[in-house]
């Protein structure tokens, strides 16, 4: 039996949370082939050419899909990432593979200088990383990976080992990144939020003097079309922000860029629920995680909800005001179980209305307002549809009782993933592939959608709205 057949065949007698089809589908096999091709032995790269290292939130989403092929590999994916955690609790957004040439990706390890510039913050000395972070999907991923094979997880002590690291990660965010003083976490670089060149960042980024173009070389343009990628001006500002943060020893504080982002905070809240499940699994007498998740949800509503827009907006911490741009980030809180019912209903109307067009003009939810002046259907996070955000919204729609819309989105995602060759992102109108194909989280989340059975009513995030721990 070849490696792909091994990965796509269910072991005899093993119970899983989501039952796979009796025979692997062609789409399942193709998705498994992508993940097998991107596997490095300890983790999965997003793509072999464009992204040849381990990325933080990519690995979390990839583990969610890998659990259906190999729960052991999914556990290893997260363990490899967490082994690079800094002593202050941060999980770096890139863990560098030392076998990859320095010029294969920029910014490379010699730019970040984690082991020297990050020494005061507790950067590891045995592996090179970046110094910024990405959205905290990790506890959610760990819980779902555990559910895929609880027996294996318990035998290996998986949750026992990752729980302290995940708790330290959340402490770092909650204690060190509340730069606005309102209880929410701030990002200090657009790369931290993950939606690098979203128009939501244009206003705060305009304050940043870009690094000179001659001071860096963009390796991304060797693999992607320039019209699909951030502009040179954007990149110059990213480099300036990252260099300034590095030169401060990665000390947190309100610099030129500090933004409270709805999706980043919503994913932290979802992972707080997951940590509550993990604590109960480990026999904790009591956990304050669920109460904290509900308090964070209330803070999210208080600080970032904009009734006139019908959705959440980003807050520019330095300017002290909401940023008037509609990005998909403002829809992601739909995945939260404690979201007030009227706000959830309003978000559904916004998703399906003219600004995002789901079920009408678009098959997948775009990353930015279709009617916005900065909309571009091909340029990275300025309009294209991405599979990870659509996976989150599919779960959110299902959680809040929108089964028909969730089923339609699931069907659209599966069709688009296969037709596009598991593209990094797609034109929201035509589903034309953009970026690279054979992309890790697209393949992984396709597997998760294939193995999920919507009729069972599970939302894949917090088990059920009523709090069932699965």
């Amino acid at each position: 039996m070849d490696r792909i057949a091994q990965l796509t065949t269910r072991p005899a007698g093993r119970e899983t949370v989501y039952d796979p089809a009796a025979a692997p589908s062609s789409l399942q096999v193709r998705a498994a082939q992508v993940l097998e091709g991107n596997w490095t032995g300890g983790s999965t790269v997003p793509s072999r050419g464009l992204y040849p290292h381990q990325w933080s939130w990519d690995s979390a989403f990839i583990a969610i899909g890998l659990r259906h092929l190999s729960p052991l590999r999914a556990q290893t994916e997260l363990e490899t990432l967490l082994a690079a955690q800094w002593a202050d609790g941060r999980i770096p957004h890139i863990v560098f593979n030392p076998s990859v040439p320095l010029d294969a990706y920029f910014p490379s390890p010699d730019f970040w200088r984690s082991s020297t510039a990050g020494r005061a913050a507790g950067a590891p000395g045995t592996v090179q990383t970046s110094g910024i972070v990405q959205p905290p999907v990790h506890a959610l991923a760990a819980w779902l990976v555990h559910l895929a094979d609880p027996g294996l997880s318990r035998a290996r002590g998986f949750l026992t080992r990752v729980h302290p690291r995940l708790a330290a990660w959340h402490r770092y965010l909650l204690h060190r990144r509340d730069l606005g003083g309102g209880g929410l976490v701030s990002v200090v670089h657009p790369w931290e939020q993950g939606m690098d060149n979203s128009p939501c960042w244009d206003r705060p980024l305009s304050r940043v003097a870009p690094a000179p173009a001659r001071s860096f070389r963009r390796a991304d343009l060797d693999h992607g079309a320039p019209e699909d990628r951030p502009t040179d001006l954007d990149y110059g500002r990213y480099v300036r922000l990252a260099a300034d943060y590095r030169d401060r020893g990665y000390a947190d504080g309100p610099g030129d860029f500090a933004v409270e982002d709805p999706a980043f905070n919503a994913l932290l809240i979802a992972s707080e629920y997951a940590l509550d499940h993990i604590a109960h699994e480990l026999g904790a007498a009591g956990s304050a995680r669920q109460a904290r998740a509900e308090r964070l949800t209330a803070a999210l509503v208080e600080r970032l909800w904009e009734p006139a827009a019908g959705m959440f907006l980003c807050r520019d911490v330095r300017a002290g005001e909401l940023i008037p741009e509609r990005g998909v980030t403002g829809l992601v809180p739909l995945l939260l179980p404690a979201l007030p019912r009227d706000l959830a209903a309003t978000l559904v109307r916004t998703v399906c209305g003219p600004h995002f067009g789901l079920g009408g003009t678009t098959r997948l939810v775009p990353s930015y307002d279709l009617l916005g002046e900065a909309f571009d259907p091909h340029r990275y996070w300025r309009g294209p549809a991405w599979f990870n955000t659509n996976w989150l919204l599919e779960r959110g729609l299902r959680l809040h009782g929108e089964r028909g819309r969730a089923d339609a989105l699931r069907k659209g995602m599966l069709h688009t993933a296969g037709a596009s060759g598991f593209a990094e992102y797609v034109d929201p109108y035509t589903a034309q592939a953009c970026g690279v194909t054979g992309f890790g989280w697209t393949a992984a989340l396709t597997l998760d959608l294939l193995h999920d059975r919507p009729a069972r009513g599970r939302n894949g995030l917090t088990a059920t709205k009523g709090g069932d721990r699965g």
Side-chain angles (χ1 to χ4, degrees), residues 95-162:
V95 180
F96 290 106
N97 183 342
S99 68
V100 173
L102 286 178
D103 62 358
Y105 183 81
F106 179 84
S108 54
D110 57 344
F111 172 88
W112 295 103
R113 306 172 204 159
S114 61
S115 59
T116 54
R119 185 178 295 120
T126 56
V127 63
Q128 294 296 310
T129 75
S130 65
I132 60 175
V133 302
Q134 277 192 322
V137 200
H138 312 89
L140 170 60
W143 178 242
L144 293 178
V145 166
H146 165 79
L147 291 180
D149 192 336
L152 176 67
S153 174
R154 291 168 186 146
R156 295 188 68 244
F158 171 64
L159 292 182
T160 300
R161 286 181 289 109
V162 301

Side-chain angles (χ1 to χ4, degrees), residues 230-247:
T231 65
D232 286 343
L233 177 59
D234 285 337
Y235 229 86
R237 287 172 167 152
Y238 303 154
V239 171
R240 172 72 70 184
L241 279 174
D244 288 350
Y245 191 42
R246 175 199 65 202
D247 294 344

